[in-house]
Amino acid sequence: MSDDLPPASSGGPGDRLGRCLDRLAAAQQRALAIYLTLGDPLTGDRPDLALAAADAGADILEFGIPTPGTRPRGAEIARSFDRARGADQEQLWEWLGELRRSAADLPLLLLVYPQTVADLGWDLLLARSAAAGADALVLARPDGPEDLERVAAAGLSAVPGIAPAADPAQVRRLESAAAHLTYRNLADRTGADLDLDEATRLTRRLGATAARPFLVGFGIRDERQIRALAPDAAGVVVGSRLISVLSRAAPTARPEALREHIGRWKAATILDGSPTEQ
């Protein structure tokens, strides 16, 4: 990550996300963000599995919100949303609030698709997110800076998703409106097979030119990829790979599988470490 990038912290007393990123940067680490779907019995139907992810090394948790019309493009995330589709929305927000009370310092991000907003409406989405203790909304396809400003007005950090082929002028506008981070997609859908050389070149270029710190995601699967990508980013996001791992594990074995994989992934974010190959 370029040395002349601004610090992530916005300085507010409740700025969990900024403090987390600044602490990791000072320790020569990058953030490991783990994606879970609220209400999915594999990953997000109870706070203890999310807490286990944090205990295993996840620095940030990102959650998808399974609203009726939201259909993610990546296969694993789409299946996760399908499993969670019948979950009671009230219970999901209560669950998130319970997680916040159990993990007061853990940054919690919510993944927001355009259809999430269409299903819930901005007012309800922002009010519920703030009341549950979320720190930021990851806007998968923001219409523009006005979406980020709306999120910021609700006291939340807006993290815009930016595709590799995004218009440079739009990138600058989104970076200027982002408080902490942007989210740079390495592929056109979650769970894609990455060309690691190409992804590394892209991340290195972004690390030298981006006006805001950024997370990279979409297709990250193992320690080798994390170790190659993390030095030039503020952090990496792993989601589809974890869902795939848990879907193949027996229910009683899922907590241990989660701890094992997250522990290895986190080790790969330590810039001067020597994590074990997968």
Side-chain angles (χ1 to χ4, degrees):
M1 190 164 57
S2 176
D3 291 339
D4 59 359
L5 288 181
S9 176
S10 64
D15 185 14
R16 280 179 289 259
L17 181 57
R19 288 198 304 270
C20 172
L21 295 169
D22 290 345
R23 172 180 57 80
L24 292 168
Q28 288 296 295
Q29 298 182 30
R30 299 301 185 241
L32 174 65
I34 292 295
Y35 170 88
L36 308 169
T37 299
L38 290 173
D40 180 355
L42 284 182
T43 64
D45 69 338
R46 58 195 191 279
D48 56 338
L49 196 64
L51 291 170
D55 289 342
D59 301 297
I60 296 169
L61 294 182
E62 179 189 15
F63 294 95
I65 307 168
T67 64
T70 307
R71 299 288 189 274
R73 296 180 62 195
E76 288 290 355
I77 304 298
R79 284 192 287 267
S80 183
F81 267 60
D82 287 342
R83 287 190 297 268
R85 192 95 44 201
D88 181 85
Q89 287 284 323
E90 293 289 338
Q91 290 183 343
L92 295 185
W93 293 111
E94 290 174 7
W95 182 99
L96 195 64
E98 182 181 347
L99 175 61
R100 164 53 66 220
R101 290 187 291 274
S102 299
D105 296 324
L106 180 66
L108 303 179
L109 281 55
L110 298 180
L111 176 59
V112 175
Y113 294 98
Q115 191 59 44
T116 314
V117 178
D119 286 346
L120 298 179
W122 273 116
D123 289 345
L124 180 61
L125 172 63
L126 294 173
R128 290 289 179 84
S129 300
D135 297 288
L137 301 188
V138 178
L139 305 180
R141 293 187 293 277
D143 285 336
E146 61 275 9
D147 283 352
L148 281 70
E149 293 163 4
R150 190 193 302 261
V151 172
L156 300 165
S157 180
V159 180
I162 302 178
D167 175 72
Q170 176 75 340
V171 171
R172 288 193 295 272
R173 288 192 293 269
L174 292 174
E175 286 185 317
S176 295
H180 294 93
L181 290 163
T182 66
Y183 188 128
R184 299 299 189 125
N185 306 341
L186 298 176
D188 64 351
R189 65 184 63 202
T190 59
D193 291 329
L194 284 185
D195 179 322
L196 184 55
D197 289 339
E198 181 178 334
T200 302
R201 286 193 295 270
L202 171 61
T203 306
R204 188 168 297 143
R205 184 170 69 250
L206 292 173
T209 61
R212 280 286 185 273
F214 57 90
L215 302 175
V216 289
F218 285 34
I220 298 175
R221 301 177 60 83
D222 57 40
E223 298 95 305
R224 184 173 67 94
Q225 293 175 335
I226 293 171
R227 194 161 48 248
L229 300 170
D232 295 294
V236 299
V237 184
V238 183
S240 295
R241 174 58 173 164
L242 180 61
I243 294 172
S244 175
V245 166
L246 296 179
S247 69
R248 297 196 303 270
T252 57
R254 286 173 190 156
E256 182 56 34
L258 177 144
R259 285 190 290 268
E260 177 187 350
H261 282 77
I262 290 178
R264 295 204 307 265
W265 296 336
K266 178 55 193 174
T269 72
I270 300 171
L271 299 188
D272 59 353
S274 300
T276 303
E277 291 283 356
Q278 187 175 22

